[in-house]
Amino acid sequence: MTITVIGHGYVGLVTACVFADFGNDVWVIGHTKEKINRLKKGDPIIFEPGLSELLQKNLKAKRIHFTLDYQDAIPHSEVVFIAVGTPPKTNGEADLSAIYTVARNLAYNIKKPLVVACKSTVPVGTNQKIAIIINRYKRTQARIFTASCPEFLREGSAIYDTLHPDRIVIGADSKKSIDILIKLHQPLNGKRIITDIASAELIKYTANAMLATKISFANLISFYCEKTGADVETVLDAVGLDQRIGRVYMNPGIGFGGSCLPKDISALIQIGKQLKIDVGFLKAVENINNHAAENFIDKITKTVTDGKIGVWGISFKPNTDDIRDSPSIKIILRLIQLGYIITAYDPAAINNAKKSIKIIKYVNDPYLAIKSAKALVIMTEWNEFKQIDWKKVKQLMQQPLIFDGRNLYQPATMKQLKFRYFSIGRKPI
Ligand code: UGA
């Protein structure tokens, strides 16, 4: 099948590469010449495990093509996926301008019947507006069939998630869309949810809001633990054994970040306000998330009043170079404001971090980051932080003091190693 994917971010490019790998002929449309040229040469632009290899393999097989021009792709395609960004506006609402620009561009270039499936996270009613725009501006009688086909992949495991979906959601109001999307997803396992467009659009927000809620709930319990002397990991492990609750995705820390959960919670709050729904619950999820970072900053500033701090981890989670809405960035900025001198290390995110924070020192070795530091602050749970030469760390630091924002280590082990060790929801050592 010939398909087009509009957008080449995490969702667009991974979707395109996976469908190409299944043997489809895939066009990817972008709007920046420099990026399209890099993609044509096999450079995925973004850091995502396995993506470079998958892209190069399918370029070589001539199953994936990149263009700036809708004319190259749309007239040949049976399905087009919209996978452009819906970033937050200053009031928290989702900015849909890229979606509507794409709808117009599609309209001008439609020559034959086309299924237009939206993968971007969009408020209920957006697909209806996409249909209205395309129908208003199209220059032929060719029919379009809209569908909502939300994506549930996570950065850092995007290819794995795309290949092993828990469910494939197809929201559509025509047999044509449903049939073609079922056919396209045939190589994938996962339960098929065939539904109306509004439900599909809301499924994505609901999933992300629930995930954010689980994290904020874990962080809330960590605050109780810190005030009462209880141990958050033990509490959550025990509670998680109840199969109705579960333990997954309930790791307390410095708060959720990234380009999805924070923006989707704030968009859902705005949607709720417009619909006159009480958004207090979602606001609490957001407030707890902010408080998780504040609480961590407090721990640091109450223990070390000034001097050099070594930071491990800048990306919003491991296995990505993405720093969008990263709690680490927020915390570093506050520490700078308070006069601390920061040296930071991250296995992948330094180049991106440099664009956002210029006034700190970046190093390419975790041990260099803690040289003569008064404290080590850990903000991302990269695997390489799990096996550390603690003797070396102690020798390099001014004092053996660690603030672990991801509960990477056992307090008992840190005690044995004679570190002062602060973590999340567990007694300081
Ligand atoms: C999230 C969802 O998990 C995906 O299902 C969804 O498709 C995606 O958003 C999207 O809307 O496109 P992602 O933002 O890539 O994926 O990353 P997550 O693994 O969900 O992590 C988000 C944040 O939550 C990270 O900052 C992470 O450190 C934090 N987190 C996650 C916790 O603090 N505790 C946890 O237990 C899990």
Side-chain angles (χ1 to χ4, degrees):
M1 199 183 298
T2 302
I3 68 168
T4 292
V5 177
I6 304 176
H8 46 67
Y10 291 90
V11 173
L13 189 57
V14 171
T15 303
C17 286
V18 166
F19 280 132
D21 212 48
F22 289 158
N24 297 290
D25 197 33
V26 182
W27 283 88
V28 178
I29 301 180
H31 67 271
T32 316
K33 197 173 173 189
E34 184 257 336
K35 288 187 179 171
I36 289 295
N37 285 341
R38 280 171 66 186
L39 287 160
K40 279 181 180 169
K41 288 182 192 141
D43 169 3
I45 304 171
I46 47 173
F47 173 92
E48 182 62 39
L51 187 56
S52 188
E53 295 80 355
L54 199 62
L55 171 62
Q56 281 158 28
K57 177 183 166 201
N58 285 286
L59 274 170
K60 212 167 153 198
K62 297 195 172 15
R63 287 191 293 256
I64 192 163
H65 326 276
F66 295 91
T67 183
L68 295 162
D69 189 352
Y70 280 62
Q71 262 305 302
D72 289 342
I74 303 303
H76 321 290
S77 297
E78 283 180 73
V79 183
V80 51
F81 286 105
I82 301 177
V84 295
T86 52
K89 291 185 190 173
T90 41
N91 69 355
E93 236 174 81
D95 182 350
L96 301 174
S97 52
I99 297 267
Y100 296 140
T101 305
V102 164
R104 268 192 193 225
N105 289 337
L106 275 175
Y108 300 144
N109 290 283
I110 284 170
K111 298 265 160 64
K112 62 173 193 182
L114 184 67
V115 171
V116 179
C118 186
K119 276 208 167 281
S120 308
T121 305
V122 291
V124 174
T126 307
N127 277 282
Q128 222 176 359
K129 285 188 199 141
I130 292 173
I132 293 171
I133 294 172
I134 299 179
N135 283 323
R136 185 184 304 152
Y137 293 102
K138 73 182 159 69
R139 293 159 178 166
T140 64
Q141 292 301 310
R143 281 187 66 189
I144 56 134
F145 304 88
T146 49
S148 166
C149 202
E151 180 53 60
F152 301 98
L153 63 79
R154 292 162 297 174
E155 286 181 29
S157 54
I159 295 173
Y160 179 88
D161 290 348
T162 308
L163 290 173
H164 303 92
D166 292 324
R167 72 300 214 190
I168 292 164
V169 175
I170 298 173
D173 52 11
S174 68
K175 190 170 176 309
K176 165 105 177 163
S177 297
I178 295 167
D179 288 350
I180 211 162
L181 289 168
I182 285 181
K183 192 172 157 201
L184 193 58
H185 287 91
Q186 215 211 329
L188 295 168
N189 290 326
K191 198 169 163 55
R192 271 61 175 159
I193 310 289
I194 312 297
T195 183
D196 57 279
I197 293 179
S199 301
E201 289 170 328
L202 200 56
I203 284 169
K204 177 59 195 270
Y205 276 112
T206 307
N208 276 2
M210 188 64 218
L211 291 171
T213 301
K214 284 190 93 171
I215 300 168
S216 277
F217 187 78
N219 283 328
L220 176 68
I221 297 305
S222 80
F223 306 152
Y224 278 88
C225 290
E226 287 180 7
K227 301 264 183 203
T228 58
D231 182 281
V232 75
E233 300 292 346
T234 311
V235 171
L236 292 176
D237 284 350
V239 170
L241 285 171
D242 184 331
Q243 288 184 14
R244 294 169 303 171
I245 300 170
R247 179 64 169 91
V248 284
Y249 214 84
M250 280 217 298
N251 296 319
I254 50 174
F256 56 79
S259 64
C260 304
L261 301 193
K263 98 167 155 58
D264 291 348
I265 281 287
S266 55
L268 206 52
I269 289 172
Q270 292 311 315
I271 295 166
K273 281 184 186 164
Q274 282 159 20
L275 297 172
K276 305 217 174 332
I277 293 167
D278 184 343
V279 292
F281 178 83
L282 295 174
K283 275 217 167 279
V285 170
E286 204 174 48
N287 290 341
I288 293 167
N289 198 47
N290 293 331
H291 189 62
E294 292 300 328
N295 190 41
F296 191 59
I297 294 168
D298 272 0
K299 276 183 204 157
I300 301 169
T301 55
K302 277 185 187 145
T303 320
V304 213
T305 46
D306 59 5
K308 202 180 151 206
I309 286 180
V311 166
W312 286 357
I314 310 173
S315 56
F316 81 97
K317 61 183 270 189
N319 300 325
T320 179
D321 63 352
D322 199 343
I323 57 158
R324 284 177 291 174
D325 247 319
S326 171
S328 177
I329 292 281
K330 188 159 72 176
I331 293 166
I332 291 173
L333 283 172
R334 178 66 74 76
L335 293 175
I336 298 171
Q337 217 176 37
L338 294 170
Y340 295 91
I341 300 151
I342 311 288
T343 305
Y345 167 75
D346 187 283
I350 288 179
N351 284 344
N352 284 337
K354 279 181 181 167
K355 292 177 209 154
S356 148
I357 307 178
K358 295 196 169 47
I359 54 170
I360 63 168
K361 188 172 166 195
Y362 296 96
V363 287
N364 57 11
D365 179 311
Y367 297 100
L368 284 180
I370 47 154
K371 210 169 158 224
S372 26
K374 278 190 177 169
L376 160 61
V377 173
I378 302 168
M379 303 220 246
T380 319
E381 67 278 34
W382 283 94
N383 264 341
E384 66 174 73
F385 301 151
K386 289 175 186 164
Q387 294 254 301
I388 284 297
D389 181 347
W390 291 116
K391 215 171 136 193
K392 189 170 168 186
V393 169
K394 231 193 213 165
Q395 277 165 0
L396 284 166
M397 291 182 75
Q398 223 183 98
Q399 53 182 19
L401 174 61
I402 299 174
F403 296 91
D404 176 1
R406 299 290 182 177
N407 285 359
L408 267 179
Y409 314 110
Q410 289 305 324
T413 315
M414 299 321 279
K415 191 176 178 177
Q416 249 176 13
L417 292 163
K418 297 199 167 36
F419 276 95
R420 278 188 83 196
Y421 177 68
F422 292 78
S423 56
I424 306 292
R426 304 186 296 184
K427 276 190 204 131
I429 296 297

